[in-house]
DNA sequence: CGCGATTTGTGCACGCCTTCACAAGCGCCT
DNA sequence: AGGCGCTTGTGAAGGCGTGCACAAATCGCG
């Protein structure tokens, strides 16, 4: 009710707590901090300094402090951050305490691997439904979950309260599947099919394209090769030489 | 004008052509332009305007023009860009004309899917070797390629000239595998295991973490939910397609 | 009780990236 | 041949993110 922009503590038992608008870059790093924190917690650490956590997450310590400062003051000067408390905070901000329901569309080569992936459940998500358009796939059970026909998506999504959908179909079907998901009320999509999806502005799309990742790496290979080729004149590329630098 | 070494065509028979240092953000988008261009080429388009290509790639047209301008002037004012020429240009810059050899380590749930993925070959990469530490997996054939023991990685990488490695092992093994790859002369790594890899500065690492992607989506779900819970006001303005590549 | 060691939180400056707006260039039509 | 419409390429401005450097805050200890 009294949600002023000055609300401060998010753990507030006030129904709808103040929601800080974090920079997008910060949001993208929070999951990495969270993973590092869980790892620390398992090793028994109770507190951690910004320096230590930054190292575990692979970032600059100043950046980490600034990121964490955006979600409130949860550190103690001279001591560090309380690991358990920080985990709760980040999980709250990311909305992971909701144990969100996720559905997966396209149980092919990749979808099969995703459906059996334990890393989802351990990080705050429940895969509650699998869909495919191929009648031969429907009924197949993966990890105790039966593949359903995509025509049932609308109904199942409503029943299970699914807000996040994962697309693992061929590129040609991705837009159609996205349309089905959106029509079913899904407002977040993770897309593995190469290509651009068109969705309403209230729907968030993130894409994962392995070929793009490899092509970026390839660029740097190309760049590195052209650099090493400059001084010597060796036409590299193909023969592999040992690591230079430290 | 301000640049001194510029204007060199890629097909230059000069051995080592000038290599423009593109902004990292531009590099990350080139693969998306390339995919869109291939799609256009298949539909028979000979030229495309910055507006049209930008729409196909899901970006702003000014951004696209600036990106392309970094690799030279390959457009024609009043007409647009020559599709075939631009494809060649981008593929050259990304080093895709080399048809790079890639190896995959960890033929488990995910690795199996990756090994059978046709999207690598069609986008400029050859998966030439599969490795695993499990004796039961060694010898298994996937897509005509036999799984080899990771102890052979060093030898095979040298034979095949492998510069790019993909890690699909459990997180606990990822660092050890990275060390093996680096020792074998691999200078680019795509890592699917959650966690931070430590590698020499001349080695590039890109990571793909599905849980992170979902958690970012979860944050936006949380944000959207808290907005609709507030008294009226602004409905989410939301970004369209955002792709934050690492 | 006060002091020094330690670590957080942040003001600030810098550089990168995005976006706008428009002059320059090109082809086509008259 | 000349003008007109279209599109590229780019200067400039603004915004965002990063990293430095330091004051403020806290704890432990004498
Ligand atoms: N396999 C990989 O390692 C890999 C890696 C990166 C990206 N991808 C991408 O992921 C997607 C899936 O790849 P894959 O190898 O699993 O392909 P696949 O052909 O093995 O599986 C696709 C599945 O989607 C189903 N499908 C097709 N149209 C559908 C529709 N309209 N509705 C519901 N289901 C439908 C098919 O029945 C099939 O089961 C592709 O876009 C591919 O480019 C795959
Ligand atoms: N399965 C998925 O959909 C999925 C999704 C996202 C991320 N991941 C990540 O990808 C990785 C692999 O996942 P998975 O489900 O395929 O696991 P998995 O257990 O099915 O497969 C792992 C494979 O790696 C092999 N391996 C283990 N140690 C090795 C070593 N030192 N050298 C070589 N090979 C070794 C194992 O023998 C096994 O075959 C994990 O880190 C996981 O977190 C998986």
């Amino acid at each position: 009710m009294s949600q002023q922009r000055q609300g401060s503590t998010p753990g507030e038992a006030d129904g709808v707590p103040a929601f800080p608008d974090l920079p997008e870059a910060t949001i993208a790093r929070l999951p990495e901090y969270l993973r590092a924190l869980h790892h620390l917690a398992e090793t028994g650490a109770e507190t951690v300094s910004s320096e230590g956590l930054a190292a575990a997450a692979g970032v600059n310590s100043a950046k980490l402090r600034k990121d964490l400062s955006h979600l409130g003051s949860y550190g103690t000067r001279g001591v560090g951050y309380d690991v358990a408390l920080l985990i709760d905070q980040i999980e709250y901000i990311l909305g992971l305490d909701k144990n969100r329901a996720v559905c997966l569309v396209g149980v092919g080569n990749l979808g099969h691997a995703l459906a059996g992936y334990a890393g989802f459940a351990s990080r705050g998500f429940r895969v509650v439904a699998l869909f495919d358009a191929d009648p031969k796939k429907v009924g197949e059970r993966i990890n105790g979950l039966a593949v359903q026909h995509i025509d049932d998506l609308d109904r199942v999504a409503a029943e299970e309260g699914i807000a996040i959908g994962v697309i693992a179909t061929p590129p040609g079907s991705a837009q159609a599947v996205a349309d089905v998901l959106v029509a079913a009320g899904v407002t977040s999509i993770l897309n593995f099919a190469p290509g651009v999806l068109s969705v309403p502005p209230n729907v968030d799309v993130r894409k994962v394209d392995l070929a793009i990742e490899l092509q970026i790496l390839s660029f740097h290979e190309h760049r590195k090769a052209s650099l090493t080729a400059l001084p010597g004149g060796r036409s590299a590329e193909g023969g592999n030489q040992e690591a230079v630098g430290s």
Side-chain angles (χ1 to χ4, degrees), chain A:
Chain A
M1 321 196 166
S2 64
Q3 49 77 24
Q4 315 285 29
R5 56 269 184 109
Q6 187 64 306
S8 83
T9 49
E12 214 140 22
D14 194 20
V16 180
F19 204 81
D21 53 339
L22 311 176
E24 197 62 32
T26 294
I27 298 162
R29 283 187 293 266
L30 288 182
E32 196 68 53
Y33 302 156
L34 184 58
R35 191 196 48 74
L37 283 165
H38 273 128
H39 190 76
L40 284 167
E42 281 169 19
T43 67
E46 300 217 340
T47 64
V48 63
S49 69
S50 64
E51 203 74 43
L53 182 54
V59 301
N60 183 298
S61 72
K63 193 188 296 187
L64 178 127
R65 286 198 299 277
K66 183 151 292 186
D67 282 342
L68 295 186
S69 77
H70 284 128
L71 34 117
S73 260
Y74 293 105
T76 306
R77 296 174 190 230
V79 176
Y81 298 91
D82 182 292
V83 172
L85 176 60
L86 201 48
I87 287 177
D88 284 348
Q89 282 305 321
I90 295 180
E91 288 190 342
Y92 168 77
I93 288 286
L94 293 180
L96 301 180
D97 48 357
K98 307 286 190 347
N99 205 12
R100 299 185 179 277
V102 175
C103 74
L104 169 67
V105 185
V107 189
N109 222 346
L110 177 63
H112 211 275
L114 294 176
Y117 182 39
F120 291 146
S122 67
R123 299 229 247 160
F125 300 91
R126 285 180 300 127
V127 179
V128 297
L130 311 174
F131 298 99
D132 204 297
D134 186 347
K136 288 193 293 290
K137 306 253 179 177
V138 174
E140 183 182 340
R141 299 190 81 85
I142 301 172
N143 258 21
L145 207 54
V147 177
Q148 302 178 70
H149 195 274
I150 189 162
D151 290 347
D152 295 330
L153 195 152
D154 196 74
R155 177 180 55 78
V156 175
E159 287 174 5
E160 301 274 1
I162 295 172
I164 302 180
V166 178
I167 299 179
T169 67
S173 307
Q175 182 62 58
V177 169
D179 293 343
V180 171
L181 286 168
V182 168
V186 168
T187 47
S188 288
I189 295 177
L190 180 55
N191 180 29
F192 283 90
V196 178
L197 291 185
S198 171
V199 297
N202 65 312
V203 176
D204 287 295
V205 176
R206 295 191 67 85
K207 73 164 182 290
V208 174
D209 189 327
L210 310 191
I212 286 184
E213 300 301 323
L214 285 182
Q215 287 174 356
I216 294 172
L217 288 174
S218 173
F219 169 85
H220 288 115
E221 283 297 318
H222 191 186
R223 182 180 49 74
K224 281 184 276 194
S226 80
L227 284 181
T228 59
L230 282 181
R234 264 208 60 193
S235 66
E237 208 90 25
N240 66 334
Q241 61 278 15
E242 47 260 18
V244 243
S246 53

